[in-house]
Amino acid sequence: MDLTTAPTPASTAPLKVAVILASNREGRFAPVVGGWFLAHADAHPGIGTDLIDVAELDLPIALSYRPDADARSRLAAVSARLAAADAFVVITPEYNHSYPAPLKNLIDWHRAEWQAKPVAFVSYGGVSGGLRAVEHLRQVFAELHTAGIRETVSFHNAGALFDDEGRHRDPAGCDAAAKALLDQLVWWGHALRDARAARPYAA
């Protein structure tokens, strides 16, 4: 959905959803799952998406309360995109019973950008489908005053579920799960956006 049209009231404007690809590993499966999810999100009424790929960010590794000019320059673009978002969807694999380090780095460099906004999760992996990564992320985002969406989409043994064109081989179940996730995200996104507009959030 094109978000460049004339401004509309916050209560009716499309919801700006930052979709975060959490993996930067060589040979990653993230683009397949990301493409599948974006097709659903972009088709959902009232949503505009912004894909944030950790593999393209090159964020500083060492955290600092007083980042130098180089760190500030690398942070500036992504920080503005997170701040502009009304809601987030994190697409994550599971690495060693948790989520990838580049995602934690992105999360930890920011604070106010996450607050009083909803976050939903799409995960993929082997037998667990990435759900252990999601459970860890729920704790991290709760600490940042972010509202976790109950519904998730998870792909177990993900590599076998998609064809060479990135299409899910048996889409009925995951399509329904994606719709439930997006419906909840839109409800919470509008509710919290209106609340922030009426009264600034104080953590």
Side-chain angles (χ1 to χ4, degrees), residues 120-160:
F121 303 99
V122 175
S123 66
Y124 60 96
V127 174
S128 72
L131 291 175
R132 293 176 294 196
V134 171
E135 289 306 304
H136 287 187
L137 283 167
R138 289 190 185 279
Q139 298 175 60
V140 172
F141 277 109
E143 179 67 16
L144 292 166
H145 300 253
T146 311
I149 298 301
R150 190 265 184 202
E151 298 297 332
T152 63
V153 180
S154 62
F155 296 105
H156 304 254
N157 298 314

Side-chain angles (χ1 to χ4, degrees), residues 1-16 190 193-194:
M1 178 174 291
D2 184 4
L3 298 180
T4 62
T5 54
T8 55
S11 59
T12 60
L15 201 70
K16 299 176 183 177
H190 281 286
R193 184 171 69 181
D194 291 347

Side-chain angles (χ1 to χ4, degrees), residues 24 52-62 70-76 78 102 105-106 109:
N24 67 350
I52 298 176
D53 188 344
V54 298
E56 299 175 354
L57 298 182
D58 190 28
L59 295 181
I61 296 174
D70 176 64
R72 290 197 302 272
S73 174
R74 286 192 274 168
L75 284 163
V78 69
N105 192 37
L106 172 65
W109 268 114

Side-chain angles (χ1 to χ4, degrees), residues 118 148-151 179-189:
I149 298 301
R150 190 265 184 202
E151 298 297 332
K179 182 180 185 304
L181 179 153
L182 289 166
D183 287 347
Q184 285 192 4
L185 188 73
V186 168
W187 191 96
W188 280 101

